[in-house]
Amino acid sequence: MALDTAQRRKAILEYIQKNQQGEVSWFAELYQVSTVTIRNDLNYLEKKGCVIRCYGGALLNNQFTFDKPLNDKKQLNTSIKAKLGKYAASLIKDGDKIILDSGSTTEQIAYHLHSMRHLTVMTNGINIAYHLANQPDIEVMLTGGTIRKRSYSINGTSGEGLLSSFRFNTLFLGVDGFDKIAGITTPHQGEADINRKMVEAAQQVIAITDSSKFNRQSFCLIARPEQLAMLITDSGIPPDYVEYLTALGVDVRIVD
């Protein structure tokens, strides 16, 4: 199986994601390369934070955030996400102009906006736009760009440029990974780029996430912790995160 280095490393990572581990000798035989080459591949993936090297191979680093399809994310922590979305929606006032980031938790916010009046919502989530499209008192704006089919989200320079033309009251920002030092990260560069433009366009940023996303990080930075005005999460948040974020001036709201 002849693959170039990037393709081989991607395939190795996908195998380890699926099987939780992989062996040097097995990969070397599969891809018809030396064990030294495979060790270099695994060392590269370890430096990226994706795997943990062990004797004879590597283990999946479960603290690393990977890019999962939205339909898979929807199956995780559904009841908690519903409560978080309902609480976040209660903070929105008639006449507000808000941004809803794409994602399974921010989608829950959209389910609770049907009674709002004179609301403007910009989103990069086509699923969110679909839910709001028939609401007579909600003006829906899409960022524009290229659709990522895995996440039903849109990203690209056209959307980034559009965001630069407006100012919004609040951004509700979804989370793939949240490390108290590194901040909020995502596996996809295009998502990170448009999310950073959202942060710039909003008067305040509210992150919304279930507690499974803490102590996880990925490649692409979206926002530092001190850029948040508020964090909405559940009681599973580690106590040291509450203490650290509160000291930074972040309003931590815990929803049970």
Side-chain angles (χ1 to χ4, degrees), residues 137-154:
D137 250 353
I138 300 179
E139 180 179 359
V140 182
M141 304 171 67
L142 279 167
T143 57
T146 302
I147 294 176
R148 291 187 63 223
K149 294 180 180 179
R150 288 172 62 87
S151 61
Y152 300 154
S153 65
I154 309 173

Side-chain angles (χ1 to χ4, degrees), residues 70 74 101-111 127-128 131:
L70 182 66
K74 285 184 177 182
D101 180 26
S102 63
S104 58
T105 307
T106 47
E107 182 179 18
Q108 291 291 330
I109 301 175
Y111 294 151
N127 55 318
I128 292 174
H131 288 307

Side-chain angles (χ1 to χ4, degrees), residues 16 20-24 42 51-60:
I16 294 175
Q20 298 293 306
Q21 62 182 357
E23 296 180 0
V24 170
L42 295 179
V51 304
I52 300 170
R53 292 283 277 116
C54 64
Y55 181 77
L59 305 172
L60 182 68

Side-chain angles (χ1 to χ4, degrees), residues 78-99:
T78 53
S79 62
I80 293 174
K81 291 176 180 178
K83 291 178 182 178
L84 298 177
K86 183 177 181 179
Y87 181 84
S90 73
L91 303 177
I92 300 170
K93 302 186 294 295
D94 290 341
D96 275 354
K97 295 172 174 57
I98 67 170
I99 306 173

Side-chain angles (χ1 to χ4, degrees), residues 6-253:
Q7 291 172 328
R8 186 179 62 250
R9 288 173 175 173
K10 179 181 179 183
I12 288 171
L13 178 57
E14 288 175 349
Y15 178 90
I16 294 175
Q17 281 184 257
K18 183 178 180 181
N19 297 278
Q20 298 293 306
Q21 62 182 357
E23 296 180 0
V24 170
S25 58
W26 190 86
F27 288 132
E29 182 178 351
L30 178 64
Y31 298 115
Q32 300 176 4
V33 296
S34 69
T35 56
V36 172
T37 296
I38 295 299
R39 288 191 186 96
N40 288 336
D41 291 341
L42 295 179
N43 289 339
Y44 170 83
L45 294 174
E46 184 177 47
K47 288 179 181 178
K48 291 292 186 181
C50 308
V51 304
I52 300 170
R53 292 283 277 116
C54 64
Y55 181 77
L59 305 172
L60 182 68
N61 182 2
N62 288 311
Q63 302 237 313
F64 190 83
T65 301
F66 295 96
D67 192 12
K68 297 177 182 177
L70 182 66
N71 286 334
D72 290 351
K73 293 180 180 180
K74 285 184 177 182
Q75 308 307 313
L76 303 173
N77 304 314
T78 53
S79 62
I80 293 174
K81 291 176 180 178
K83 291 178 182 178
L84 298 177
K86 183 177 181 179
Y87 181 84
S90 73
L91 303 177
I92 300 170
K93 302 186 294 295
D94 290 341
D96 275 354
K97 295 172 174 57
I98 67 170
I99 306 173
L100 290 184
D101 180 26
S102 63
S104 58
T105 307
T106 47
E107 182 179 18
Q108 291 291 330
I109 301 175
Y111 294 151
H112 299 282
L113 299 180
H114 59 276
S115 63
M116 302 300 301
R117 294 177 56 81
H118 310 301
L119 186 68
T120 299
V121 179
M122 177 174 273
T123 183
N124 64 327
I126 57 175
N127 55 318
I128 292 174
Y130 174 82
H131 288 307
L132 298 177
N134 292 322
Q135 300 299 327
D137 250 353
I138 300 179
E139 180 179 359
V140 182
M141 304 171 67
L142 279 167
T143 57
T146 302
I147 294 176
R148 291 187 63 223
K149 294 180 180 179
R150 288 172 62 87
S151 61
Y152 300 154
S153 65
I154 309 173
N155 67 83
T157 54
S158 58
E160 294 166 29
L162 183 63
L163 279 160
S164 300
S165 303
F166 295 95
R167 291 293 290 167
F168 296 85
N169 301 110
T170 305
L171 160 63
F172 290 91
L173 181 64
V175 174
D176 286 311
F178 195 135
D179 180 88
K180 69 180 182 182
I181 305 299
I184 297 175
T185 56
T186 183
H188 192 271
Q189 182 65 57
E191 293 274 4
D193 290 341
I194 199 159
N195 283 160
R196 286 195 294 269
K197 288 296 183 181
M198 290 177 177
V199 171
E200 293 175 7
Q203 292 176 1
Q204 67 169 346
V205 179
I206 298 178
I208 176 171
T209 180
D210 67 87
S211 58
S212 70
K213 306 297 177 58
F214 296 113
N215 285 319
R216 294 178 179 270
Q217 59 178 296
S218 195
F219 295 127
C220 308
L221 176 67
I222 295 172
R224 307 289 298 182
E226 57 268 24
Q227 291 179 275
L228 303 179
M230 183 185 297
L231 169 66
I232 301 173
T233 189
D234 61 78
S235 58
I237 181 174
D240 60 312
Y241 273 66
V242 177
E243 181 179 353
Y244 182 81
L245 294 171
T246 301
L248 288 177
V250 180
D251 184 1
V252 179
R253 304 285 180 93

